[in-house]
Amino acid sequence: FILQIQYTQVTALSSTSSMGSYATGTDVTPMNVAITPTSTSSKIKIDVSMMGEFTSTAGPHNVMFWLKRTIGSTTTNLRAPSSNTNNALGIAPATTTYHQNSDSTPEHLSFFYFDEPSTTSEVTYQLTMTNGSTSGTIWRINQNANTGGGGDYERGISCIMATEIAG
C-alpha cells in the first residue's frame, strides 16, 4: 500500500557544475525531497526525472548521478558499491542525445531507487552528480546549454518524488 507521496517539482532554470570529487560529488541543488516515514518497516521509492543539457561535449558520458540520504546529521551515499575508489559510482547516467552538440539538444535523466531507511525521522534525498574524467562540465537544469531563445531551444520541468510503501 502507498502511505504517502512527497515531491519537489522544479520549473526554474538553473545550473550545476559536476566538479565534485568521486567521494562527495556536487549536489544538484533544487533536486531534493524530504519524507517522514510512518513506520520503521516502510520502504521508500525515489523517482527522479530531470531535463537539461550539458554545456560541454568533452565529458557528459562520464557523469554519474546518485542520491544522498540524510537522517538527522548522518548522510549516506546511495549508489553502486565498489572497492575501486577510481570508479565514478552512481545510480545512473543521463541519456546523452547528440554528443557532438552541447548547444540545443537536451538530455534526460530518469531513474528510481528503493530505500529502507528504518526510521520514523525525516529523511531527505538529495540528487548528486560527479564527472569521471572532465572537470567543469555544467548541467543546465530545465534548459539547453545555450540559454538563447527560439524554437531550437527547449525548456522543461524536472521532478524528484518519494513514495512511502507499507513494509
Side-chain angles (χ1 to χ4, degrees):
F1 293 103
I2 292 176
L3 301 174
Q4 65 170 311
I5 296 173
Q6 301 295 327
Y7 68 92
T8 301
Q9 188 161 283
V10 179
T11 58
L13 308 178
S14 63
S15 299
T16 297
S17 173
S18 66
M19 293 177 63
S21 72
Y22 291 139
T24 59
T26 300
D27 292 347
V28 182
T29 309
M31 294 293 288
N32 60 69
V33 64
I35 191 167
T36 304
T38 59
S39 170
T40 57
S41 64
S42 292
K43 292 161 183 53
I44 307 295
K45 180 184 179 199
I46 303 94
D47 291 274
V48 174
S49 176
M50 187 169 61
M51 182 268 185
E53 186 175 24
F54 293 106
T55 60
S56 169
T57 60
H61 55 280
N62 290 317
V63 174
M64 288 295 288
F65 291 87
W66 76 90
L67 296 167
K68 286 183 184 175
R69 176 186 63 204
T70 302
I71 303 170
S73 61
T74 303
T75 298
T76 305
N77 291 324
L78 304 177
R79 60 185 178 185
S82 176
S83 58
N84 184 345
T85 57
N86 292 321
N87 291 130
L89 305 176
I91 295 173
T95 302
T96 55
T97 53
Y98 181 53
H99 72 281
Q100 296 298 318
N101 180 293
S102 62
D103 183 60
S104 63
T105 52
E107 277 90 31
H108 184 254
L109 172 70
S110 180
F111 70 81
F112 60 88
Y113 182 89
F114 287 96
D115 189 30
E116 298 181 33
S118 302
T119 186
T120 55
S121 297
E122 182 180 78
V123 182
T124 300
Y125 296 96
Q126 172 66 58
L127 183 64
T128 305
M129 65 188 285
T130 192
N131 190 332
S133 67
T134 307
S135 64
T137 300
I138 296 172
W139 173 263
R140 298 237 192 258
I141 302 166
N142 293 337
Q143 62 185 318
N144 295 99
N146 183 329
T147 57
D152 293 338
Y153 301 101
E154 297 83 5
R155 300 291 184 260
I157 295 174
S158 300
C159 185
I160 182 169
M161 180 175 66
T163 303
E164 181 182 9
I165 303 166

